[in-house]
């Protein structure tokens, strides 16, 4: 099963991706995590990405597309994956479609998180406070100013990705403001057909 989790930062995609990984045994491919790892390792990609990430801006399409192309080649992703935070632009969506089509593959479903964007700023402040309380490092881009910039990027660059997939009838929308368990249940409903198709 190949899935995309689509929604603004702070919508809960990461949490749900972890749950889906456990439920279906397919890896979560988070471009944000991969980029943070590249920054931590000081690779060339990391050097290109760091300032943009710290400012809440998008990393160039070619950089992110390259990372995803490499990642989906790895053994654990051959049987399926959950993309979290990618694609974030229509150019990325087109590149993904092409790289999968070249292997005779396609995305099975796009789970679109509908959220009240006004409440996300509160949610992210809470996420930062909880992380800090656990003694873990807080993401630099989880401060309210940078977070607002990330939301702006979502509204500008990523807003067109939903319509791109809706036009292809691939989208299942869920209420991202519901409780975590309710969101998980809504996602499972959206995947029933895909799971049934795989059993058939
Ligand atoms: P995330 O963890 O998904 O919120 O991503 C953190 C940051 O990484 C974003 O604010 C961007 O700077 C960068 N990033 C992650 N995924 C992408 C992507 N698909 N396209 C461009 N930039 C990305």
């Amino acid at each position: 099963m190949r899935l995309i989790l689509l929604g603004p930062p702070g919508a809960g995609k990461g949490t749900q991706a972890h749950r889906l990984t456990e439920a279906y045994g397919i890896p979560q491919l988070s471009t944000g995590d991969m980029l943070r790892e590249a920054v931590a390792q000081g690779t060339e990609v990391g050097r290109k990405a760091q300032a943009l990430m710290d400012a809440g801006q998008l990393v160039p399409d070619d950089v992110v597309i390259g990372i995803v192309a490499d990642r989906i080649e790895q053994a654990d992703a051959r049987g399926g994956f959950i993309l979290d935070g990618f694609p974030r632009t229509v150019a990325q969506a087109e590149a993904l479609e092409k790289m999968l089509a070249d292997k005779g593959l396609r995305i099975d479903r796009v789970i679109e998180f509908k959220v009240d964007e006004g409440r996300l700023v509160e949610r992210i402040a809470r996420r930062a406070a909880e992380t800090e309380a656990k003694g873990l490092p807080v993401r630099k881009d989880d401060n309210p100013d940078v977070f607002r910039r990330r939301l702006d990027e979502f509204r500008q660059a990523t807003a067109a990705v939903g319509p791109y997939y809706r036009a292809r009838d691939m989208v299942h929308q869920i209420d991202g403001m519901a409780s975590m368990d309710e969101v998980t249940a809504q996602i499972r409903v959206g995947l029933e057909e895909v799971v049934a198709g795989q059993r058939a």
Side-chain angles (χ1 to χ4, degrees):
M1 174 156 50
R2 292 174 185 81
L3 307 177
I4 291 172
L5 303 189
L6 179 66
K13 302 187 297 296
T15 305
Q16 296 299 331
H18 283 294
R19 291 183 172 194
L20 291 167
T21 288
E22 279 171 23
Y24 299 110
I26 48 177
Q28 169 198 17
L29 311 190
S30 154
T31 41
D33 285 350
M34 291 183 237
L35 289 166
R36 279 185 285 279
E37 178 67 25
V39 170
Q41 306 266 326
T43 65
E44 178 161 1
V45 164
R47 281 195 297 277
K48 278 190 203 159
Q50 182 162 28
L52 292 165
M53 293 174 76
D54 287 351
Q57 289 171 261
L58 292 188
V59 172
D61 284 335
D62 58 334
V63 174
V64 193
I65 290 165
I67 299 182
V68 171
D70 289 344
R71 184 65 186 86
I72 62 175
E73 287 294 333
Q74 289 174 22
D76 66 331
R78 297 249 166 89
F81 49 74
I82 304 150
L83 282 166
D84 163 13
F86 180 95
R88 262 175 156 98
T89 63
V90 169
Q92 292 178 16
E94 287 169 348
L96 175 66
E97 192 170 313
K98 178 158 190 330
M99 68 177 96
L100 290 177
D102 286 347
K103 299 177 209 296
L105 302 172
R106 62 181 170 79
I107 294 295
D108 296 301
R109 189 67 87 237
V110 177
I111 304 291
E112 185 173 23
F113 288 59
K114 299 308 282 180
V115 294
D116 173 349
E117 289 181 19
R119 281 175 54 204
L120 288 184
V121 180
E122 284 163 39
R123 198 189 250 194
I124 216 70
R126 205 168 48 235
R127 171 161 103 183
E130 282 168 7
T131 307
E132 201 164 19
K134 284 188 208 145
L136 297 169
V138 176
R139 280 172 55 169
K140 256 195 203 160
D141 60 356
D142 268 358
N143 81 57
D145 289 339
V146 180
F147 184 74
R148 281 196 189 89
R149 176 69 215 239
R150 288 163 63 203
L151 267 184
D152 284 346
E153 284 280 30
F154 178 80
R155 291 188 194 111
Q156 284 164 26
T158 313
V161 176
Y164 175 91
Y165 287 117
R166 249 174 268 138
R168 289 161 175 72
D169 203 17
M170 292 163 72
V171 175
H172 176 75
Q173 286 190 348
I174 57 99
D175 172 11
M177 302 316 284
S179 72
M180 276 187 211
D181 288 347
E182 174 58 25
V183 172
T184 305
Q186 289 183 20
I187 294 175
R188 299 292 280 259
V189 169
L191 298 180
E192 270 165 14
E193 227 177 85
V194 179
V195 173
Q198 288 183 336
R199 282 207 202 99

